[in-house]
Amino acid sequence: MFQVGDYIVYPMQGAGVIEAIEIKEIQGEKLQYFIINMLMNKMQVMIPIATVHKSRIRLVTDMTTLENVLNIFHHGLTDTTLTMKERYKINTAKLRTGDIQEGAEVVRDLMRINKNKSLNLSEKQMLESARKMFISELGLIRGITENQAIDLLSNKVG
């Protein structure tokens, strides 16, 4: 289980740090909660410890895995035959997993498609959100600022 000080990734929210474990009474029920400070949107979330497995929260990945994931920006195919609706559904499912590689694939594919044709509003928002989630974890793993992480990603994508 997680400990105070652990760097975690909360799917669809990005990277954060567990600041505390507290007992809170909500609607008359006392439960133990992880108090997590999310880096991407500067908010604090409370997750009941008893249900944390359902939320797919995971520890931030290691440097070796990150390096392998960064390589997918140069490799791997982007399926351009999918309709926007199909692509959106697939990408949403990938982001919900919370897996760093799945999220990186969404960023890579949408950035590639955006170079050839303009994305619609929902895909632009998805790209921005996926990018921010990836950058928040990248910054924690590398121990760099958000701006440095943005520059690193930009250089990888070219």
Side-chain angles (χ1 to χ4, degrees):
M1 193 48 67
F2 304 114
Q3 305 293 322
V4 172
D6 282 350
Y7 293 113
I8 56 90
V9 174
Y10 187 1
M12 304 298 286
Q13 300 297 322
V17 62
I18 297 178
E19 292 292 326
I21 298 172
E22 298 177 3
I23 295 174
K24 300 271 188 186
E25 184 175 338
I26 297 178
Q27 295 180 336
E29 188 176 0
K30 287 185 179 182
L31 293 173
Q32 207 171 18
Y33 287 86
F34 286 119
I35 310 300
I36 305 169
N37 280 336
M38 303 306 299
L39 305 177
M40 189 170 88
N41 43 21
K42 312 282 189 262
M43 70 176 187
Q44 189 176 74
V45 295
M46 295 183 348
I47 308 289
I49 290 176
T51 63
V52 77
H53 64 283
K54 291 180 187 175
S55 64
R56 295 186 176 161
I57 290 176
R58 63 171 172 80
L59 290 172
V60 167
T61 197
D62 58 70
M63 187 67 84
T64 304
T65 304
L66 174 65
E67 293 307 318
N68 291 333
V69 168
L70 286 172
N71 285 329
I72 73 152
F73 286 97
H74 297 293
H75 307 290
L77 299 175
T78 299
D79 188 348
T80 56
T81 64
L82 297 172
T83 66
M84 186 285 305
K85 190 174 182 179
E86 293 168 324
R87 193 169 53 237
Y88 190 85
K89 185 177 179 181
I90 290 167
N91 287 339
T92 299
K94 284 182 175 185
L95 291 175
R96 284 192 176 135
T97 69
D99 182 83
I100 189 170
Q101 181 168 336
E102 299 272 326
E105 288 172 2
V106 171
V107 173
R108 176 200 65 200
D109 293 347
L110 290 177
M111 288 180 90
R112 284 179 179 173
I113 291 166
N114 196 38
K115 281 184 179 180
N116 296 325
K117 65 176 184 176
S118 185
L119 296 173
N120 68 23
L121 182 59
S122 60
E123 282 191 308
K124 282 180 185 178
Q125 290 170 337
M126 177 179 278
L127 172 57
E128 187 57 26
S129 178
R131 233 176 113 262
K132 284 181 179 179
M133 285 186 277
F134 186 76
I135 286 167
S136 70
E137 185 168 8
L138 175 62
L140 275 180
I141 296 167
R142 285 277 181 99
I144 57 178
T145 67
E146 182 179 339
N147 286 337
Q148 291 170 320
I150 290 168
D151 291 344
L152 178 64
L153 181 59
S154 295
N155 292 335
K156 284 290 180 185
V157 175

